[in-house]
Amino acid sequence: MAAAIDASLPNGVESSRKRWEYLESILTKGGPFTDPDSDLGQGTISRLEESKILVIGAGGLGCEILKNLALSGFKDIHVIDMDTIDVSNLNRQFLFREADVGKSKAAVAAAFIEKRVKGVKITPYNGKIQDKDEDYYVQFQLVICGLDSVEARRWINATLVGMVDQENQDSLKPLIDGGTEGFKGQSRVILPTISSCIECQLDLSPPRAAVPLCTLANIPRQPQHCIEWAKIIAWEEHRKGDVIDTDDPEHITWLYHKALDRAQEFKIPGVTYSLTQGVVKHIIPAIASTNAIIAASCCNEALKIVTGCNPFLQNYMQYTGDAGIYTFNMEFEQTPDCPVCGNLPKDLPVDPDSTLQELIESLGARAEAQLKKPTLRTESTSLYSQAPPSLEEQTRPNLEKSLRDLVADGEQIAASDPAFGIDFRFKIVYRS
Amino acid sequence: MAATAITPAPLQGQEVITPSIRSVTLTAKEKKYDRQLRLWAASGQQALEDANILLLNSGAGVVGIETLKNLILPGVGQFTIVDEANVRESDLGANFFLAEDGLGKSRAQEACNFLRELNPEVRGSGIRESTADFISDKNSLDPHTLILLVGPAKSETVQQLSKYASQRSIPLFYIHSVGFYSHFSVQLPDQFPCVDTHPEPETTEDLRLLEPWPELLNYMEVKTHDLGSLSDHEHGHIPYLLLLLYYLEEWKSSHDGRPPNGFPEKKAFRTLVEKATRTDNPEGGEENYEEAVKAVNKSLNPPEISSGLRQIFESEDCKRPNAKTANFWVIAHAIREFHSRHGVLPLPGTVPDMKAQSADYVQLQNIYKAKARKDLAEVVESVRTTEKDFMQDSKIDDREIEAFCKGAASVKLIKGRPLQIASSEPRELAWSDTAKSLCQELGDEGSLFPIYLAFMAYDGASPRDHETMKAYCNDTVACLQKQSGGSSIDVEDIQGRVEKFVAELVRAEGGELHNISALTGGMIAQEVIKVITKQYIPFDNTCVFDGIASKAGVFRV
């Protein structure tokens, strides 16, 4: 009995060796591009197995990332996602089946990987990244994001930059970020405070240009205008108080019919159910193959960073697959006036005769700011406060005032937004 | 008296938009495939579901399986995996679609079972057999519409498949993934036309402002009549297209009937439009005039055709189609004739969004659409004449002609070439007309082409050690240089760069890294989808991926 147990032990080690032999041939000896200082060997493998990785998002990219990390020798992986599985996920999120629709993405994905790849531990959290604080994020060696929201990327980026303590090297958590749209995608590697961060590159993802309200209300031309009208104006008129649920087919059907009626009135062709859904839910086309490319690129970089087996990406790769195959690599530089990792305030050109209200609205649309609910203050006084209600009421009269009466040319202001944990510093520059 | 059935008179006047079906019922398929139907529509999906993929697997065997995963999820019709290997311990550390209880069983069948779980609509089978045995029976290849061959493969095998694929005009992919590098090549049919290329709308916008037709000019005159006396609202809502046409007429009247040509004249024309903007209105400017000024540079260019289309126009099949030429050439011939008659391509008929009153914009769209229909009718007639000349019974579908007319500006023809096959004698490889451009490529210090050479050595050299592969590569470089007519290249420098890639390849000892195979499987699946759906533009014809630099390189070999 005891002999049998003893015998199974070396066998187990042996089979585990064999299982990872492809990876070990890379991790135990260097190649011509490997940094000569990297100490490849058994220690590298231990380091890989002991490192704790956080994956944000268990969707199209996330499923791939979890699979790739598990088959790259990582053993301790955590995953956060607040979503549940929808039937339209099944064309690419390959860890989910029809019977899983409605369940937590993070939980189902984690259980699937653990079952398929022996010896890997995946810890799911079904919730928002904002639920967690620095004490949570500090436990990881590296964070990989497979998100579809710019806001969530900015939040985790700001959090990781904020955690860096120059005295303590372990406080620096590399962030690897992937994104896709149709046949295109990009991956980037961020070393918080050391290299260009997501906020430095914010103008790569400008907000979608909003159609002016008067076009929607009076002179629609495109099917999209009719759909936006149904969503913004018709809904408010007929179903005030009811909150639009973009996953509720009854709501989408209602909007579709309203949009269709309006399109007929103006003789605008092209309103379909599918387009309605696309416009209302801001749907981005997504396919398995693009997710595979970008997720694997991110995990390839993660493996190189953690083990040092080869140099990693400096710091951005864009993949374009709709016309031939094309990769574009670029090393972004930190911007000194980055509100997250820079130390200079960002210039904010304004028309001094415009109102504070107009400035606040423009901050949502400006590619370099994208703040939807900013609270603004100068060094000495509060310009406008979104909350609490008492302060909002007190500062509301400022909204109508011209900027000239509130801030001087060259004066610094700080903007905070409930979506982000940090202040954005701007320097007001009067446009002549 | 018997009741007479009376057909109600058709509605006169405006076109009536009838809502197709008011109640919305999406099929389960439409729901599941929503995110991809937005890319390749129902026609692309149908093509995918009609496809039958054959994977001839070997080596560590991950990259082919990852490719299939990305084809099964979007709903490819059928797949077959042929693989002689049994599941080994090392497979479990690299292949997600194998598990412990499969150890010792057929790798093809085990992977097939897990892959089929991904999509109940896809049929698949796994066969435990070597590629050589499988293809020795010709009939076994017949049902398949596309073949994926994973290397390393024997040169006879590659040769045999290349010949088969070329006879059947089916696409054949040849794939490698080793360590941080991967390679794949495609052998497409001799002629692979790309009509539905999905170009970015801005790049192909054809508004024909320099070649306006009477209906468009009439409408311009109606809307700009007595411009000065229009209200601010009306003035600020004239579509910019009409503004440009109006000021073009003004310009021409003082420039011998010529439109602005070259940068200085365009600048002057821009100023002319800019100055006509009303600024004494409450907004202090006009958006439609701003749009007009912005469009001057790109919208007032004499019509030019792309190099891809010119190449098509100049080919013999296009000039003189015969009874055997494919539909593509018959339509291309008709469009060529249209172009030589009018100096422009058939109008695509789409109008970009612009500041305008709803009714004016719709009217403008209708004018463009009507003209596009007229151009299409002319092309269709010309196609029918050709068909008659060849006494063909089958008519080319109107929709096929329409698609060609709409996409004419960005149509492209890829000429498939047989796969370049490694042999034991690298000095005998036939590079033919690509030798020169490939030598040039080698001269570029950052080129990834040496990775392809390293993979050829991986196939052709025996044993697969550093020295033998290095020697093989050096012989290949010498052969390339000779066949290029003696290009002046720095052979020593090239050999040094090639050797590094060889060393990195050898480091992996033939193993696959999951990330590189997953990434490459994604790239190949994209290309397979483009080839099957005949949408977008596939690569031509050899690609390598460098997982260290995170870069891809594409070469025509």
Side-chain angles (χ1 to χ4, degrees):
Chain A
M1 189 89 189
I5 293 170
D6 281 345
S8 75
L9 211 68
N11 263 342
V13 172
E14 188 52 37
S15 80
S16 154
R17 275 264 158 75
K18 283 219 111 114
R19 179 165 302 189
W20 300 102
E21 68 179 7
Y22 297 152
L23 202 56
E24 290 196 6
S25 60
I26 294 290
L27 298 182
T28 50
K29 58 181 186 294
F33 302 97
T34 311
D35 181 347
D37 289 341
S38 63
D39 53 342
L40 295 175
Q42 283 307 315
T44 313
I45 296 169
S46 311
R47 194 160 69 237
L48 173 67
E49 293 182 346
E50 283 157 18
S51 61
K52 206 188 260 193
I53 307 291
L54 176 65
V55 178
I56 301 180
L61 284 168
C63 284
E64 286 278 344
I65 291 170
L66 290 171
K67 172 199 68 159
N68 297 342
L69 290 177
L71 290 177
S72 295
F74 290 97
K75 303 287 180 210
D76 191 357
I77 305 166
H78 291 236
V79 57
I80 301 188
D81 200 308
M82 60 187 279
D83 276 347
T84 53
I85 298 160
D86 180 77
V87 67
S88 66
N89 301 147
L90 301 179
N91 79 328
R92 60 195 188 286
Q93 300 178 14
F94 66 98
L95 302 176
F96 310 143
R97 304 286 176 263
E98 233 165 290
D100 297 322
V101 168
K103 295 183 192 160
S104 149
K105 285 188 176 181
V108 174
F112 195 113
I113 301 272
E114 279 192 347
K115 190 169 159 232
R116 183 67 59 83
V117 184
K118 291 287 172 279
V120 62
K121 194 173 117 225
I122 316 248
T123 313
Y125 173 68
N126 177 22
K128 292 162 67 173
I129 50 173
Q130 291 87 349
D131 298 346
K132 304 287 190 182
D133 58 14
E134 288 194 10
D135 290 343
Y136 172 81
Y137 291 106
V138 78
Q139 64 181 309
F140 302 104
Q141 266 70 60
L142 186 144
V143 179
I144 306 187
C145 285
L147 288 161
D148 55 7
S149 137
V150 177
E151 202 167 286
R153 280 192 180 94
R154 293 173 72 186
W155 188 89
I156 189 69
N157 176 65
T159 302
L160 294 182
V161 171
M163 273 164 56
V164 176
D165 167 5
Q166 301 297 348
E167 307 291 299
N168 174 12
Q169 247 217 308
D170 290 342
S171 67
L172 191 145
K173 316 289 178 190
L175 171 65
I176 304 177
D177 176 62
T180 75
E181 174 169 1
F183 285 89
K184 299 176 197 160
Q186 101 253 330
S187 49
R188 42 188 169 171
V189 172
I190 289 142
L191 303 178
T193 70
I194 293 179
S195 68
S196 170
C197 78
I198 284 180
E199 201 73 24
C200 295
Q201 301 166 24
L202 194 60
D203 46 6
L204 288 183
S205 33
R208 295 172 323 118
V211 181
L213 216 53
C214 65
T215 300
L216 299 184
N218 304 316
I219 47 165
R221 302 178 297 269
Q222 302 293 342
Q224 288 85 344
H225 297 166
C226 302
I227 296 165
E228 291 279 6
W229 172 86
K231 183 184 158 190
I232 297 169
I233 297 168
W235 186 276
E236 196 58 23
E237 197 180 311
H238 296 274
R239 302 181 68 160
K240 202 174 162 86
D242 216 356
V243 177
I244 296 184
D245 174 2
T246 57
D247 289 323
D248 184 339
E250 189 272 321
H251 286 189
I252 300 284
T253 305
W254 190 92
L255 292 171
Y256 164 57
H257 287 154
K258 283 283 171 225
L260 200 57
D261 288 340
R262 184 153 177 95
Q264 277 185 273
E265 185 190 331
F266 288 94
K267 302 186 183 60
I268 297 169
V271 171
T272 61
Y273 185 84
S274 166
L275 184 71
T276 307
Q277 212 182 11
V279 170
V280 174
K281 291 178 77 169
H282 309 305
I283 291 176
I284 297 167
I287 49 176
S289 39
T290 314
N291 284 326
I293 296 168
I294 297 304
S297 162
C298 291
C299 296
N300 183 40
E301 298 311 323
L303 179 68
K304 291 189 288 182
I305 290 173
V306 170
T307 65
C309 65
N310 258 328
F312 59 86
L313 175 66
Q314 310 276 1
N315 47 27
Y316 174 94
M317 187 272 289
Q318 186 182 51
Y319 189 92
T320 311
D322 45 6
I325 293 172
Y326 179 65
T327 53
F328 167 75
N329 294 54
M330 151 121 194
E331 184 168 355
F332 278 101
E333 292 189 5
Q334 274 182 292
T335 50
D337 60 357
C338 170
V340 170
C341 74
N343 42 28
L344 295 175
K346 199 180 254 311
D347 280 358
L348 189 67
V350 297
D351 172 3
D353 295 319
S354 62
T355 64
L356 184 64
Q357 173 89 45
E358 286 166 328
L359 175 66
I360 286 176
E361 282 166 10
S362 82
L363 284 178
R366 288 182 194 227
E368 75 277 18
Q370 302 186 43
L371 300 172
K372 289 183 193 135
K373 289 184 113 185
T375 284
L376 299 179
R377 59 182 193 281
T378 64
E379 248 167 64
S380 53
T381 175
S382 184
L383 293 173
Y384 179 69
S385 217
Q386 304 269 358
S390 61
L391 206 54
E392 195 279 332
E393 204 182 320
Q394 210 182 317
T395 52
R396 198 184 304 155
N398 282 345
L399 291 176
E400 298 305 315
K401 292 185 189 161
S402 73
L403 293 175
R404 196 186 293 285
D405 299 335
L406 294 168
V407 281
D409 191 11
E411 192 174 351
Q412 276 195 36
I413 62 165
S416 56
D417 188 293
F420 310 101
I422 56 152
D423 276 355
F424 294 79
R425 292 191 300 148
F426 294 105
K427 189 172 121 190
I428 294 290
V429 178
Y430 282 5
R431 243 180 264 158
S432 47
Chain B
M1 200 167 97
T4 324
I6 297 167
T7 311
L11 286 169
Q12 299 294 314
Q14 329 129 332
E15 197 178 336
V16 178
I17 305 161
T18 39
S20 38
I21 310 156
R22 292 221 56 137
S23 69
V24 183
T25 41
L26 291 183
T27 65
K29 230 185 220 177
E30 283 170 322
K31 280 186 203 156
K32 183 163 96 175
Y33 293 143
D34 178 81
R35 299 303 185 272
Q36 69 200 44
L37 289 170
R38 293 170 191 274
L39 289 174
W40 53 68
S43 61
Q45 188 62 31
Q46 190 57 51
L48 209 54
E49 289 173 19
D50 291 340
N52 186 344
I53 312 276
L54 173 64
L55 169 65
L56 300 167
N57 209 7
S58 69
V62 183
V63 63
I65 300 296
E66 286 292 313
T67 306
L68 278 185
K69 176 202 73 195
N70 301 322
L71 296 171
I72 292 164
L73 286 164
V76 74
Q78 292 185 59
F79 70 93
T80 305
I81 307 170
V82 174
D83 190 339
E84 64 178 328
N86 289 333
V87 180
R88 289 163 302 202
E89 194 70 45
S90 57
D91 288 319
L92 303 185
N95 194 329
F96 191 73
F97 296 95
L98 296 171
E100 304 235 319
D101 52 9
L103 281 168
K105 297 182 192 162
S106 155
R107 196 164 71 172
Q109 280 163 17
E110 290 298 300
C112 173
N113 292 341
F114 278 133
L115 284 171
R116 281 176 56 191
E117 286 179 2
L118 299 178
N119 193 339
E121 277 149 282
V122 177
R123 283 178 295 161
S125 57
I127 300 171
R128 174 159 48 185
E129 199 176 6
S130 73
T131 293
D133 286 347
F134 182 79
I135 64 174
S136 65
D137 176 5
K138 272 269 166 67
N139 296 334
S140 58
L141 289 173
D142 285 352
H144 305 285
T145 57
L146 187 144
I147 302 173
L148 303 168
L149 171 66
V150 179
K154 293 201 186 88
S155 60
E156 306 87 75
T157 305
V158 187
Q159 222 142 24
Q160 201 181 331
L161 282 166
S162 170
K163 214 169 133 196
Y164 173 84
S166 129
Q167 278 163 0
R168 292 305 197 85
S169 287
I170 62 168
L172 165 66
F173 284 73
Y174 185 42
I175 303 160
H176 285 104
S177 175
V178 178
F180 279 97
Y181 298 141
S182 65
H183 145 255
F184 53 98
S185 292
V186 68
Q187 172 180 316
L188 288 173
D190 298 349
Q191 294 180 341
F192 188 87
C194 313
V195 175
D196 192 1
T197 59
H198 296 256
E200 304 280 340
E202 316 79 67
T203 59
T204 52
E205 205 170 85
D206 179 4
L207 301 172
R208 251 195 231 172
L209 295 181
L210 296 181
E211 313 276 334
W213 59 99
E215 291 82 356
L216 181 62
L217 280 177
N218 278 345
Y219 189 55
M220 179 273 284
E221 275 155 21
V222 170
K223 296 313 282 186
T224 55
H225 179 70
D226 208 2
L227 204 55
S229 64
L230 293 179
S231 70
D232 280 347
H233 181 79
E234 286 169 317
H235 195 264
H237 283 81
I238 300 172
Y240 85 79
L241 287 188
L242 302 182
L243 290 178
L244 285 178
L245 282 171
Y246 175 82
Y247 291 106
L248 269 175
E249 291 302 305
E250 191 177 312
W251 171 278
K252 284 197 242 173
S253 66
S254 59
H255 290 80
D256 305 326
R258 286 182 303 102
N261 188 18
F263 183 73
E265 286 198 358
K266 274 191 181 168
K267 199 175 163 202
F269 180 69
R270 251 197 338 256
T271 312
L272 171 83
V273 179
E274 210 165 3
K275 279 201 171 144
T277 312
R278 282 190 193 171
T279 50
D280 55 353
N281 52 10
E283 292 83 24
E286 289 173 307
E287 254 181 79
N288 54 339
Y289 273 76
E290 276 173 36
E291 289 175 346
V293 169
K294 242 191 248 169
V296 166
N297 268 342
K298 67 169 184 154
S299 302
L300 299 186
N301 297 317
E304 252 182 70
I305 56 172
S306 69
S307 60
L309 188 59
R310 190 168 316 119
Q311 219 179 351
I312 291 168
F313 279 175
E314 280 161 14
S315 89
E316 219 28 56
D317 284 316
C318 183
K319 285 185 189 158
R320 279 171 282 279
N322 57 56
K324 281 185 192 149
T325 33
N327 290 358
F328 174 81
W329 292 114
V330 176
I331 307 172
H333 174 71
I335 289 185
R336 185 177 187 269
E337 286 189 325
F338 184 97
H339 185 261
S340 62
R341 271 196 301 276
H342 304 286
V344 288
L345 291 172
L347 193 71
T350 43
V351 181
D353 190 32
M354 62 190 74
K355 180 98 176 171
Q357 307 257 41
S358 306
D360 292 351
Y361 183 73
V362 170
Q363 177 66 16
L364 199 56
Q365 277 181 316
N366 286 338
I367 289 171
Y368 271 80
K369 269 189 217 151
K371 178 64 178 159
R373 274 198 291 266
K374 208 170 148 193
D375 287 1
L376 171 64
E378 198 179 316
V379 175
V380 170
E381 202 187 312
S382 164
V383 167
R384 300 293 172 238
T385 311
T386 311
E387 285 170 338
K388 222 190 244 164
D389 289 349
F390 301 142
M391 295 194 285
Q392 274 176 350
D393 308 327
S394 62
K395 278 184 159 183
I396 297 176
D397 195 324
D398 277 4
R399 278 170 302 182
E400 198 177 338
I401 307 174
E402 187 179 353
F404 205 138
C405 284
K406 276 210 168 114
S410 53
V411 165
K412 199 176 147 81
L413 179 74
I414 297 181
K415 291 185 176 163
R417 290 169 68 97
L419 290 177
Q420 176 69 249
I421 293 155
S423 72
S424 52
E425 190 32 86
R427 287 181 181 272
E428 285 169 10
L429 293 169
W431 296 92
S432 63
D433 57 328
T434 58
K436 202 162 192 171
S437 67
L438 292 175
C439 264
Q440 220 162 27
E441 180 70 46
L442 275 177
D444 172 5
E445 210 181 316
S447 173
L448 299 180
F449 184 61
I451 295 179
Y452 176 67
L453 297 185
F455 272 113
M456 289 204 85
Y458 189 74
D459 273 351
S462 173
R464 284 190 189 116
D465 59 27
H466 186 174
E467 285 310 310
T468 320
M469 281 172 63
K470 188 177 99 181
Y472 190 100
C473 286
N474 292 348
D475 284 352
T476 316
V477 172
C479 169
L480 259 171
Q481 190 191 15
K482 192 173 157 219
Q483 291 184 17
S484 72
S487 298
S488 64
I489 47 173
D490 183 347
V491 174
E492 219 166 285
D493 169 62
I494 292 169
Q495 288 180 346
R497 280 188 275 128
V498 175
E499 185 178 359
K500 279 186 157 186
F501 291 119
V502 168
E504 181 64 39
L505 208 56
V506 170
R507 175 188 181 194
E509 296 171 37
E512 288 184 52
L513 290 178
H514 184 79
N515 291 325
I516 301 303
S517 290
L519 198 157
T520 308
M523 293 170 78
I524 299 168
Q526 278 200 354
E527 298 310 309
V528 168
I529 288 168
K530 290 189 279 180
V531 169
I532 291 176
T533 60
K534 299 198 165 70
Q535 294 186 39
Y536 302 89
I537 304 173
F539 80 122
D540 179 24
N541 53 20
T542 293
C543 176
V544 295
F545 184 77
D546 176 349
I548 300 171
S550 189
K551 280 181 185 163
V554 175
F555 322 100
R556 188 165 158 81
V557 170

